[in-house]
Amino acid sequence: EIPVDNTFTAQTWLDGYRTINDVNNVLSALGVVDADKKNTVEGEGKFIRGSIYFDLVRLFAKAWNDGDANTNAGVPIVLEPTRNITEESKVPRATVAAVYQQVIQDLSDALVKLPESNGFYANKAAAAAMLSRVYLQQGNYAAALQAADDALAYADEIGLKLNSTYDKAFPAGTQPVKNTSEDVFAMQVTTSSGSNNFQQFYSVNGRGDIAISNAYLATYEDNDDRFDLFYADAGSNFCGKFENQYGNVHIIRLAELYLTRAEANFRLGSSTGETPLDDINTIRKRAGLKNLNTGNLTLDAILLERKHELDFEGFALHDVKRLEGMVGLLSWDDPKLVYPIPLRELRVNPNLTQNNRN
């Protein structure tokens, strides 16, 4: 049960809207940007803003498929820079549908404006990949399929590919590591920017308070290389993906796109880009596993592959919600699985409403 004055949820909201305001300030000043850089700057800004709104609406509002997205309260949409606190700046919550519409608009604009290659900044592959994630959350499998296939094509054009082994996607050690060959988009961390609180929190030297049950570990097949990244410490099991305090935070990995394309193709009975079987076996081969065949390729098998490949990277809760599963004894649509609107925000903005807390 999360209290309305919880520090972490309040900071998540605050960080999100500070970032959105930074983007809005940049977008409002495009007139002073060099003509040859204007599209890229606009695309980078809208990629960030769309991605932030997507996270905010998934955390602070009901899931897309929980009731009516056209009437459920989402989060405030602010598209102009806030430079002074006025009554007009105290924006009410838009509907869930309106926020998703803004997310898709921002990411679609970003896809048009961004170049194919852009260093470690957002590019066309990143924008298409984030769009595929949004459409998958909505259950719009045709759109998710097309966006994932587009992202894979853009990624191929700039030479991205799966790392040869799974552990190479999560470099350990104490030295800064550049993006790996399968990082479509990652948040950069260097010694000059300071240590990475995300990595420290989940590393063997941090709190690491996500203890993994033996029952979950038992769902892995023998010889699955992904199993080797787990470790035992003080009688509990932990995830070893985040063992570099200067490691970049992986936001989009190439593997996610293969899995999205496989799931969407399977549900639609199509073979856009590749067959679902080929995409799943691409993931399994990298993990050191035998290929599946047509007879044992099921939706459950695809979803289990997704869970094993992406576990502890931030997908589980949102996948449970879109697939209408359970979190322990809680149903996917339980109000306890939605963050409360922070108390500090309710105090300064009387136009906000609180989420159901029962």
Side-chain angles (χ1 to χ4, degrees):
E1 298 212 7
I2 305 175
V4 294
D5 59 351
N6 177 269
T7 301
F8 292 104
T9 54
Q11 197 63 43
T12 298
W13 177 287
L14 189 60
D15 286 345
Y17 278 101
R18 279 177 172 165
T19 303
I20 288 168
N21 198 49
D22 287 346
V23 170
N24 289 341
N25 272 288
V26 170
L27 295 179
S28 73
L30 286 175
V32 302
V33 177
D34 291 344
D36 62 335
K37 299 178 181 178
K38 188 174 296 185
N39 279 350
T40 299
V41 170
E42 182 178 353
E44 289 169 355
K46 288 186 174 180
F47 172 81
I48 293 170
R49 188 172 70 182
S51 300
I52 293 291
Y53 270 125
F54 183 44
D55 274 341
L56 288 172
V57 76
R58 286 188 298 171
L59 292 172
F60 288 97
K62 287 186 175 182
W64 174 264
N65 49 318
D66 184 2
D68 188 350
N70 291 298
T71 57
N72 287 340
V75 295
I77 297 175
V78 183
L79 304 180
E80 298 294 331
T82 302
R83 299 188 175 110
N84 295 292
I85 302 301
T86 64
E87 290 304 310
E88 289 73 21
S89 67
K90 298 177 181 179
V91 181
R93 298 172 69 178
T95 65
V96 169
V99 179
Y100 268 82
Q101 182 178 6
Q102 183 61 49
V103 169
I104 292 170
Q105 183 64 61
D106 273 347
L107 295 175
S108 298
D109 289 349
L111 179 57
V112 172
K113 300 283 186 179
L114 287 169
E116 288 192 13
S117 181
N118 198 22
F120 54 67
Y121 296 97
N123 55 22
K124 286 189 182 297
M130 191 62 78
L131 273 170
S132 76
R133 191 180 289 184
V134 175
Y135 289 132
L136 188 68
Q137 196 68 41
Q138 290 181 306
N140 185 344
Y141 297 112
L145 169 59
Q146 189 59 61
D149 190 55
D150 288 345
L152 284 165
Y154 287 127
D156 184 63
E157 284 291 322
I158 58 175
L160 296 185
K161 59 183 179 180
L162 293 179
N163 288 284
S164 58
T165 58
Y166 188 68
D167 63 321
K168 288 183 179 179
F170 305 96
T174 58
Q175 298 301 313
V177 178
K178 295 180 180 179
N179 286 3
T180 75
S181 64
E182 68 182 81
D183 279 318
V184 178
F185 187 76
M187 294 172 63
Q188 307 300 300
V189 178
T190 68
T191 52
S192 61
S193 63
S195 59
N196 179 345
N197 288 335
F198 180 86
Q199 312 292 69
Q200 285 190 325
F201 188 83
Y202 291 110
S203 75
V204 68
N205 296 316
R207 289 176 59 189
D209 61 347
I210 303 299
I212 301 161
S213 68
N214 289 324
Y216 176 69
L217 296 181
T219 66
Y220 283 79
E221 298 173 52
D222 292 340
N223 303 317
D224 191 329
D225 291 345
R226 296 170 297 199
F227 183 84
D228 295 338
L229 265 72
F230 295 104
Y231 64 89
D233 183 61
S236 296
N237 304 310
F238 298 104
C239 175
K241 287 183 173 181
F242 314 114
E243 296 301 320
N244 187 331
Q245 65 178 343
Y246 299 111
N248 293 344
V249 181
H250 311 280
I251 304 300
I252 306 170
R253 291 195 295 114
L254 205 59
E256 176 192 349
L257 300 171
Y258 286 108
L259 292 161
T260 296
R261 188 169 69 177
E263 180 183 341
N265 265 326
F266 187 89
R267 290 179 182 275
L268 298 171
S270 56
S271 298
T272 297
E274 291 286 353
T275 67
L277 185 63
D278 285 340
D279 277 339
I280 288 301
N281 283 336
T282 293
I283 298 299
R284 289 178 60 84
K285 181 179 179 181
R286 199 269 292 272
L289 296 172
K290 294 180 179 179
N291 285 348
L292 296 180
N293 56 47
T294 303
N296 53 22
L297 183 70
T298 64
L299 180 60
D300 284 344
I302 292 171
L303 294 176
L304 182 60
E305 208 64 52
R306 177 181 174 87
K307 180 181 286 290
H308 287 165
E309 178 69 26
L310 303 176
D311 61 3
F312 306 101
E313 295 179 53
F315 292 89
L317 176 62
H318 304 307
D319 277 349
V320 165
K321 289 186 176 185
R322 73 179 178 88
L323 298 169
E324 301 186 2
M326 299 288 290
V327 177
L329 300 177
L330 299 178
S331 173
W332 65 277
D333 56 353
D334 193 295
K336 290 185 174 64
L337 299 180
V338 179
Y339 281 180
I341 304 300
L343 180 61
R344 70 180 298 278
E345 304 301 328
L346 294 169
R347 284 174 171 167
V348 300
N349 184 356
N351 295 315
L352 292 178
T353 56
Q354 183 58 277
N355 290 320
N356 178 11
R357 303 291 291 145
N358 298 317

